[in-house]
Amino acid sequence: MTQATSRGALVICALGLSVSLAAQEPTATVATEGAVLRMHYATFDPMTTAPAMSPALVSHASDRLWIVQFAGTPTQAGRDAVAKAGGEIHRYLPDNAYVVRMGAAEAEAVGGVASVRWVGRYHPAYRLPGSTLLQLQAGNLPTARYNIVVVDKHQDKPALAAAIQALGGVVNSEETGSILFSATLTDKQLLAVAHLDQVLWADEWSAAEDDMDNARIQGGGNYVEAQAGYTGTGVNAHIYEGIEATHQDFTGGATNVRSSGGADTHGHCTAGIVFGNGTSNPAVRGMAPDAGKFFTQYSSVSGSRWQVISDLVNIYDVSHTTASWGNTQTTVYTSVSSEADDIIFDHDIAWTQSQSNTHNQNSRPQAWAKNIFSIGAVQHFDNSNPNDDSWAAGGGSTGPAADGRIKPTLSAYYDAIGTSDRTGSAGYSSGNWYASFGGTSGATPIVAGHNVLAIQMFADQTGHAGEGPFGNPLRNPSGSIHDNRPHFTTLKALQVISARQWTITPTTTDNTRTHVGWGFPNLQTMWDLRDKTFIVDEYDTDLLTSNGQIQRYDIAVASGEPAFRAVLNYAEPAANPSANPTLINNLSLRVTDPSGTIYWGNNGLLTSNWSSSGGSEDNINPIECVYVQNPASGQWVVEVIATAIVMDNHVETAAVDADFGLVVTGGQPLPPTSALFSTFGAGCPGSPNTVTPCTENNPTGGTLTNVTNNLEYGIIPSGLGASQLTSFEIYTRSTGGTVTIPAHIYPVLGTTPIASTTMTVGPTAGFYTATFPAPVSLGTTVFIAIDLTAGNVLVPNLTSGTTGAVFSRTPPGGWAYDPTVNRVGYRVFCTAGTVYDVPALGNVGNPQLGST
């Protein structure tokens, strides 16, 4: 076994041999609970143990791939510190770890980064599957062709090719643009390749190519399964066609709803893409093999489609339905379109619908519905590389809708999709699987499968009870995934904001917005951005109750953020098919950057991947996006404006009001800004005085987590508004004796203080005070900050209590949101220029017309 003994020392005992790796594996000393590395090879806590391995599978001293594990959820400040120490961060490993490329000296420096828990070798043993390792150990591994996953697909392939050729191996394909590289190797060559600094993983190549495998790669299905085990468990999904319910590819069988239960070959293939388990051929494994399985054969259905969906939602707890068929193609919104909108509106179900295969605007009428996920397609040439995908080479139907709405919503593969097939001669092929399913019939269930995994992700509260991984509060923490599923509006916004866009060029060329929509679903992006995602899931607290009303959200964007995105989506009542446009209510998205530049929803996005500033409100689409590349750091304002509410879309109340789904990525939400208020008269002796905190959090303190870190912490006190701050108190203690540390007030994400002082901290846990020589005038949200870079004061984090937004940095660097510190005890004291309170007019929070 492997045991960490001290910084820079590790002992491996394998196959009866003891091999010392002293000075090769630096470890950090920051403690944390339950931090394990989870890999195919083994699951272990690297601070205490490591798995046994053959000496041949241990990294050489010159090998440059390492694992860096953080003490908690990694922050940008931590990643920046690793980079500053010389580490090249590449792939993530659960939990809280990365594969990092660097030398031993750099690894020693990275081990000294405050937020790093452990640094150790990324051994060749970790880079090969168990079956290959067993054959290597037994000495019977034949020469074979391998798929090699490269560390950096943009940079590593030339060096890897040269190294393999130098070893005498055969380069079969460099798989341009892909993460894969293919080579034929002997057992000794494979072992040598597993030591190369360009190699993340290698396993045996298979001649059977299928595009569900590619879809799982391109869309992140494999990634989120590896990261968090998402395979559809707990989500019930429905195929609106007949299937062979007892087929070996459908784990647990499938439940028929309101039909004779007959099988359709076309429907069976769509079902295989969503929830096939790959028994017939592992290469055609579906997106969500462990989902609950339901189906309805539409040719023998009993009752209306509304009834079918009602049974699905209310009896069977089904959260998603998909259809790769529809009524006669049309270019307009019809009665069937209106029916689809009405069904979705009434049942709050996510529904994916094929656009059709006419290569023009003739599409299924269901696809023109406003609430539906309309799915287009691209020819993808039988690989997982998105850079050669082409709408023009395929035959999928396109938008825009007749009223100019952006269609399709998302797109996926048109061609050569591998999937389950009916048994024997009953299907398209003579076997139990089929390699050549296609059209938007195949693209649609690909997106459906991504949706199923996104629903599971949204409702997963394994990180924090009562919350999903995005920090989204769950409606019923003790309930099922169906109880806690995102509203369909939020799911659509979440998929659109995470989608990988194809390059959008002027509308006369290939892969434009109205050909391919908002992109190919990308669960990897969704997962990786979970700590920088803000969600409004049709909350009752965020209702729009009157025309002209605005809901405002302030978002802090850190320096170096690659993109800021906001997506608004709201449920629309069914339109009158005679209407053009079909939009009924009009909610608009407006984003303002720190300099005051305004971006209106969808402005510029018809012909570009990035928003244009300015413009005007979008009055035709119920989904609106703002995408800004390389956003300025600071406070961004996201506003949802009730331009017109003419029909009720929030049926839970008697009023005509509106709710909405909103997703923002690239920053962290700031506390709501209090309404400004004015005082009148003068305070009288005997009135309450201003030694009462003007805002506080966890005012009685509690138990500290007893962690130290060499960082500066900026805490956002809620509800200050326009105030004059005189002092603040933080609940913490020193590590011994009485010490003095710097204390500051900063503008949010600013690095130049508004005011500075010191705080004297003793060894007993309690509130310690930073008093400023003169009152500090505040006109905006601020950080109250304490500088702990000396390492002699505990991080002010409690084991329980009310959470709040905390940022950290290594001065003079920039701030980054720090999810590891979220329960701070603080008290802030203010004055209005007199020792006594005076009467005031105002309210807490933004004033609401017709309400507060």
Side-chain angles (χ1 to χ4, degrees):
M1 65 183 296
T2 306
Q3 183 175 2
T5 56
S6 63
R7 181 181 298 273
L10 193 71
V11 174
I12 292 184
C13 304
L15 305 178
L17 300 176
S18 179
V19 181
S20 175
L21 298 183
Q24 292 185 23
E25 303 221 19
T27 58
T29 57
V30 180
T32 189
E33 294 183 4
V36 296
L37 290 174
R38 293 184 290 174
M39 292 180 281
H40 285 295
Y41 189 80
T43 296
F44 61 99
D45 184 341
M47 290 290 289
T48 59
T49 60
M53 64 187 70
S54 165
L57 296 169
V58 174
S59 292
H60 299 151
S62 59
D63 291 355
R64 300 183 67 249
L65 287 188
W66 300 73
I67 300 170
V68 175
Q69 185 184 46
F70 286 81
T73 303
T75 66
Q76 188 58 50
R79 289 188 289 267
D80 288 345
V82 169
K84 185 176 181 180
E88 299 174 10
I89 294 177
H90 290 281
R91 301 300 184 91
Y92 180 81
L93 286 174
D95 290 328
N96 305 322
Y98 296 93
V99 174
V100 177
R101 188 152 53 195
M102 55 189 169
E106 290 83 6
E108 184 71 34
V110 169
V113 171
S115 57
V116 169
R117 180 177 187 255
W118 177 86
V119 179
R121 295 284 188 175
Y122 185 57
H123 297 293
Y126 302 154
R127 310 186 205 183
L128 298 170
S131 58
T132 302
L133 291 172
L134 288 173
Q135 287 181 284
L136 272 174
Q137 184 176 0
N140 60 4
L141 185 68
T143 298
R145 182 174 173 179
Y146 292 91
N147 279 332
I148 299 167
V149 181
V150 294
V151 173
D152 183 345
K153 69 176 184 178
H154 300 294
Q155 304 293 332
D156 286 347
K157 291 186 177 181
L160 179 59
I164 289 174
Q165 289 166 348
L167 289 168
V170 176
V171 174
N172 298 111
S173 174
E174 295 192 16
E175 302 291 340
T176 302
S178 172
I179 61 172
L180 298 180
F181 187 104
S182 179
T184 298
L185 305 167
T186 67
D187 56 350
K188 291 182 175 60
Q189 290 166 349
L190 175 65
L191 187 58
V193 166
H195 280 275
L196 295 176
D197 301 328
Q198 299 82 26
V199 175
L200 193 75
W201 176 262
D203 55 19
E204 192 168 349
W205 174 89
S206 170
E209 292 189 39
D210 66 274
D211 285 348
M212 274 314 295
D213 195 22
N214 285 334
R216 290 184 60 85
I217 294 170
Q218 186 167 334
N222 289 343
Y223 184 84
V224 296
E225 181 175 358
Q227 295 295 300
Y230 294 137
T231 58
T233 302
V235 183
N236 291 338
H238 173 254
I239 310 298
Y240 213 122
E241 288 189 74
I243 69 175
E244 186 182 314
T246 59
H247 194 278
Q248 60 183 330
D249 283 355
F250 299 150
T251 304
T255 300
N256 170 47
V257 178
R258 281 187 172 265
S259 76
S260 68
D264 300 320
T265 302
H266 180 272
H268 187 94
C269 286
T270 66
I273 293 170
V274 178
F275 46 55
N277 62 25
T279 298
S280 64
N281 182 345
V284 301
R285 184 169 179 253
M287 293 297 303
D290 294 324
K293 302 164 184 66
F294 296 80
F295 74 100
T296 300
Q297 187 182 42
Y298 69 82
S299 60
S300 64
V301 69
S302 171
S304 68
R305 195 163 196 169
W306 191 100
Q307 289 174 304
V308 172
I309 300 300
S310 179
D311 285 358
L312 291 172
V313 173
N314 299 313
I315 297 175
Y316 297 104
D317 286 352
V318 168
S319 302
H320 194 285
T321 185
T322 188
S324 292
W325 58 277
N327 297 90
T328 302
Q329 293 105 335
T330 179
T331 61
V332 297
Y333 186 102
T334 70
S335 59
V336 174
S337 314
S338 186
E339 179 199 36
D341 272 335
D342 186 61
I343 290 172
I344 297 169
F345 185 90
D346 284 351
H347 298 102
D348 192 17
I349 190 170
W351 172 351
T352 46
Q353 172 65 50
S354 58
Q355 194 82 30
S356 201
N357 302 317
T358 66
H359 206 59
N360 56 41
Q361 285 176 268
N362 269 307
S363 298
R364 302 298 178 193
Q366 291 90 344
W368 297 130
K370 297 174 289 181
N371 295 328
I372 213 159
F373 284 77
S374 304
I375 309 304
V378 294
Q379 189 94 359
H380 78 294
F381 303 105
D382 204 13
N383 62 57
S384 62
N385 173 22
N387 296 319
D388 64 357
D389 295 347
S390 170
W391 162 80
S397 297
T398 70
D403 58 0
R405 284 177 293 125
I406 295 172
K407 290 285 184 173
T409 311
L410 297 163
S411 293
Y413 296 162
Y414 186 87
D415 58 312
I417 303 168
T419 182
S420 178
D421 196 14
R422 291 174 64 190
T423 302
S425 60
Y428 289 120
S429 67
S430 58
N432 295 327
W433 64 279
Y434 182 47
S436 301
F437 197 66
T440 57
S441 288
T444 300
I446 289 175
V447 177
H450 284 81
N451 280 351
V452 170
L453 296 183
I455 291 169
Q456 182 186 8
M457 188 188 301
F458 183 92
D460 178 16
Q461 56 182 319
T462 56
H464 298 286
E467 290 184 352
F470 309 99
N472 49 298
L474 302 179
R475 294 188 290 276
N476 181 10
S478 62
S480 66
I481 286 180
H482 184 68
D483 295 332
N484 292 303
R485 71 194 189 277
H487 293 286
F488 81 86
T489 53
T490 306
L491 177 64
K492 188 184 293 185
L494 193 58
Q495 286 285 32
V496 165
I497 207 168
S498 304
R500 186 198 186 280
Q501 298 189 82
W502 286 280
T503 301
I504 301 300
T505 50
T507 54
T508 56
T509 61
D510 192 19
N511 288 348
T512 65
R513 186 73 64 198
T514 55
H515 291 158
V516 295
W518 299 102
F520 191 108
N522 194 319
L523 297 170
Q524 178 171 345
T525 296
M526 187 183 296
W527 175 255
D528 286 347
L529 289 178
R530 65 194 184 280
D531 290 330
K532 298 179 182 180
T533 300
F534 169 68
I535 294 176
V536 177
D537 185 29
E538 294 191 3
Y539 298 147
D540 289 343
T541 55
D542 298 75
L543 291 178
L544 294 165
T545 58
S546 59
N547 294 336
Q549 184 184 348
I550 298 174
Q551 287 286 359
R552 169 177 168 161
Y553 307 91
D554 293 342
I555 308 294
V557 176
S559 177
E561 194 65 42
F564 177 91
R565 290 182 169 92
V567 176
L568 166 71
N569 184 222
Y570 54 97
E572 270 280 276
N576 184 336
S578 68
N580 187 29
T582 58
L583 196 71
I584 295 175
N585 293 323
N586 186 9
L587 309 186
S588 295
L589 177 66
R590 181 173 62 192
V591 173
T592 305
D593 75 7
S595 69
T597 300
I598 292 175
Y599 298 85
W600 284 101
N602 293 345
N603 187 48
L605 290 176
L606 193 65
T607 57
S608 175
N609 292 96
W610 301 102
S611 296
S612 299
S613 60
S616 58
E617 296 175 79
D618 181 326
N619 297 317
I620 60 173
N621 286 287
I623 185 165
E624 296 188 22
C625 305
V626 170
Y627 294 166
V628 181
Q629 191 175 29
N630 300 320
S633 62
Q635 183 172 334
W636 288 63
V637 177
V638 178
E639 295 172 301
V640 180
I641 304 169
T643 301
I645 303 175
V646 295
M647 286 186 67
D648 189 18
N649 97 331
H650 181 74
V651 297
E652 294 84 351
T653 60
V656 176
D657 49 13
D659 53 28
F660 52 88
L662 176 70
V663 181
V664 181
T665 61
Q668 289 294 330
L670 297 169
T673 302
S674 296
L676 299 180
F677 60 88
S678 58
T679 59
F680 61 96
C684 305
S687 299
N689 60 49
T690 54
V691 297
T692 301
C694 51
T695 185
E696 58 188 4
N697 191 62
N698 299 315
T700 60
T703 302
L704 292 162
T705 55
N706 294 329
V707 172
T708 59
N709 246 334
N710 304 100
L711 299 171
E712 184 175 14
Y713 287 91
I715 302 151
I716 301 176
S718 62
L720 281 179
S723 306
Q724 287 199 322
L725 190 156
T726 58
S727 64
F728 64 78
E729 298 177 348
I730 302 291
Y731 192 87
T732 186
R733 69 171 176 85
S734 71
T735 57
T738 299
V739 300
T740 300
I741 59 173
H744 307 283
I745 301 172
Y746 293 96
V748 166
L749 296 173
T751 56
T752 301
I754 300 171
S756 299
T757 186
T758 60
M759 176 185 289
T760 301
V761 183
T764 302
F767 283 96
Y768 293 92
T769 305
T771 301
F772 293 88
V776 181
S777 297
L778 307 179
T780 185
T781 307
V782 297
F783 287 155
I784 55 174
I786 53 175
D787 189 337
L788 306 186
T789 53
N792 54 7
V793 172
L794 296 186
V795 174
N797 195 36
L798 303 175
T799 58
S800 62
T802 304
T803 59
V806 180
F807 291 69
S808 63
R809 70 174 184 141
T810 301
W815 298 94
Y817 174 67
D818 194 336
T820 66
V821 183
N822 59 3
R823 293 180 174 90
V824 179
Y826 64 77
R827 299 192 292 228
V828 180
F829 298 89
C830 306
T831 178
T834 176
V835 296
Y836 300 108
D837 285 351
V838 296
L841 292 176
N843 66 287
V844 176
N846 296 318
Q848 306 294 322
L849 294 175
S851 179
T852 58

